[in-house]
Amino acid sequence: MKKLSAAFLFLCLLLGASTPLARAETRGMAQINHVVIIFMENWTFDAHYGLFPGANGLNSSDAKIVQVDQEGKPYETLPQVVNNFGNTNPDTRFPANLPNAPFLIDRYAPADQKIPSPVHRFYEYQLQINGGATNKYVAWSDTGALTMGHYDTQKLPLYPYAQQYTLADNYFSSAFGGSMLNHFWLVCACTPRWDNAPAKFISNPKFDANGVLIDPGETVENGGGNGLVTPDGFLVNDVDPRYNPHHANVPLDELGPPQDALTIGDRLSEKNISWAWYAEGWNNALAGKPDPLFIFEHQPFVYFKQFGDGTPAKQEHLRDESEFRAALRNGTLPAVSYIKPIGEDDEHSGYAAVDSSEQSAVKWIQAIQNSPYWQDTVIFVTYDDFGGFYDHVPPPKVDRWGPGGRVPMLVISPYAKKGFIDHTQYDHTSTLKFIETRWGLEPLSTRDAAANDMTNAFDWEQNVLPATGASLYENVLWLVCVGLMLICGGGWILKFNPNKGA
């Protein structure tokens, strides 16, 4: 019996090395073993959190910037909101004579209704911010006054999380313009190339004698346009990838070419650190039956050769969102997870409603919080780009690509500072920097190398119980071990006298 008890004691000591009691001494970023990034769509900070108490929002003294037309003349009233999906009829939910100032969208169109989608493209955005004056959002929009709209912050489903945890009010998208380019920057801190692109896709931007952009040089229709590629061969506006999945009716030479750059996935794989991109609707899209709102240009890894059709990396790392929920249940959650909602759940104006989309995000957050992984997880909830909406804070000037518009960032974790507004400058490459710092990875470019790493949003000294990293399996195993010790030799252990031996 004594030998059996000793064996149990030895077994439990070994088990202790990977249980909560042993890991209680872990400090700093090492307490985070799982990163989950929920990547929503197309809203600026002002449009969602402009009324957040204490944040640099629409109640700031410099927030209500008078909008001027393309010639620099102030609007007497904002132009009528117009539709831009399928028709350009006035959206009569909104009055035709709104004052020249930000206004509440949900006063006229509740957050459970869809609204038009303002243009949000590479060159147009640079014209809208007008060298930092941020006074030509309306002038270069295609939906009239809508670009100046915002929601009642406290009615948003994600508001309680922003209030309870950390809200960053100086976080920017990484690149000017729209979705595809910012998805690239999220995973590779890079702008893709398209050498020898079809001539009709080449932009023809116009500049004045001082080199200031004065015209995007493209035709914009239904929020899109033909200027996909810069004159020197960089792909800056949305196009489907050449690898699957993509629209079936697009000619091969009009699909974005495979890219050679390294991604954060490659860096993680080099160190044998698990990761996955979870997309809603992925399995159906890959099978050639995509949901009408499966958005192909929202799948950045598909553009890269190392994740091309038939590669082991594609099969291992690019997965359906349903597998994320399964991983939470069965104990196989990767160290790094990206969640990409399908169109109707991603908040993109035009085809998604804000309220229902955020409710979907809340369900993912709750699923994580109710899992064993919560104790060592951080959830970053942010938005790919500005979506064509006004924000009074101009982006910092870093390089020719951006950063772009200021967007919301919620940091949700047991270790996130509570009720905190983080004023540190961040952008999408800051999430890369966080991952790189946590796991000792090499940066992908000069941008992520120089980025702030999000750690100001955390208080690592918080008491998190049960201790960080404990899975349900580990906790149950520990209890079983202790119980067996008591059953098989508890009396002997209690009687043990180190002066006399066993």
Side-chain angles (χ1 to χ4, degrees), residues 346-395:
D346 68 10
E347 278 195 87
H348 192 301
S349 60
Y351 53 71
V354 165
D355 188 77
S356 59
S357 294
E358 291 205 4
Q359 292 287 1
S360 293
V362 166
K363 291 178 182 178
W364 284 312
I365 295 168
Q366 291 176 339
I368 297 165
Q369 290 180 318
N370 292 329
S371 78
Y373 292 105
W374 169 241
Q375 305 301 328
D376 67 357
T377 293
V378 57
I379 307 167
F380 294 118
V381 181
T382 190
Y383 294 72
D384 65 337
D385 66 71
F386 80 119
F389 289 94
Y390 170 80
D391 193 278
H392 79 279
V393 178

Side-chain angles (χ1 to χ4, degrees), residues 20-33 415 438 459-464 467-468:
L21 294 177
R23 282 196 294 249
E25 297 305 314
T26 304
R27 291 290 180 263
M29 290 182 77
Q31 296 173 107
I32 297 295
N33 292 315
Y415 292 101
R438 168 60 184 86
D459 174 4
W460 302 118
E461 301 306 314
Q462 295 185 73
N463 186 24
V464 177
T468 304

Side-chain angles (χ1 to χ4, degrees), residues 278-445:
Y278 295 101
E280 273 193 299
W282 173 258
N283 285 344
N284 285 337
L286 204 59
K289 301 176 292 183
D291 185 278
L293 289 178
F294 183 87
I295 312 300
F296 299 103
E297 66 266 21
H298 292 177
Q299 316 301 324
F301 289 103
V302 182
Y303 291 82
F304 293 88
K305 290 181 179 178
Q306 58 269 41
F307 303 104
D309 296 339
T311 59
K314 183 172 188 173
Q315 183 176 0
E316 179 180 357
H317 298 292
L318 308 189
R319 303 178 185 175
D320 194 87
E321 180 273 338
S322 61
E323 295 185 50
F324 174 78
R325 297 179 188 272
L328 288 177
R329 294 191 300 268
N330 61 27
T332 59
L333 186 70
V336 176
S337 302
Y338 293 88
I339 300 178
K340 187 63 203 182
I342 204 165
E344 67 177 313
D345 293 336
D346 68 10
E347 278 195 87
H348 192 301
S349 60
Y351 53 71
V354 165
D355 188 77
S356 59
S357 294
E358 291 205 4
Q359 292 287 1
S360 293
V362 166
K363 291 178 182 178
W364 284 312
I365 295 168
Q366 291 176 339
I368 297 165
Q369 290 180 318
N370 292 329
S371 78
Y373 292 105
W374 169 241
Q375 305 301 328
D376 67 357
T377 293
V378 57
I379 307 167
F380 294 118
V381 181
T382 190
Y383 294 72
D384 65 337
D385 66 71
F386 80 119
F389 289 94
Y390 170 80
D391 193 278
H392 79 279
V393 178
K397 298 178 181 179
V398 176
D399 55 36
R400 68 178 288 193
W401 310 118
R406 189 174 63 139
V407 296
M409 163 58 87
L410 283 67
V411 183
I412 304 168
S413 172
Y415 292 101
K417 293 177 181 177
K418 303 304 187 293
F420 181 63
I421 300 172
D422 191 351
H423 304 304
T424 310
Q425 181 181 307
Y426 302 120
D427 70 88
H428 294 328
T429 64
S430 295
T431 63
L432 291 174
K433 185 64 174 287
F434 184 92
I435 294 168
E436 291 160 357
T437 304
R438 168 60 184 86
W439 281 286
L441 311 179
E442 291 295 317
L444 294 160
S445 75

Side-chain angles (χ1 to χ4, degrees), residues 60 62 80 83 90 92 115 138 170 172 204 210 256 261 291 297 344 357 383 416 422 436 451:
S60 301
D62 59 347
Q80 171 71 55
N83 292 290
T92 56
I115 59 173
V138 176
N170 202 24
F172 297 83
N204 184 31
N210 297 316
D291 185 278
E297 66 266 21
E344 67 177 313
S357 294
Y383 294 72
D422 191 351
E436 291 160 357

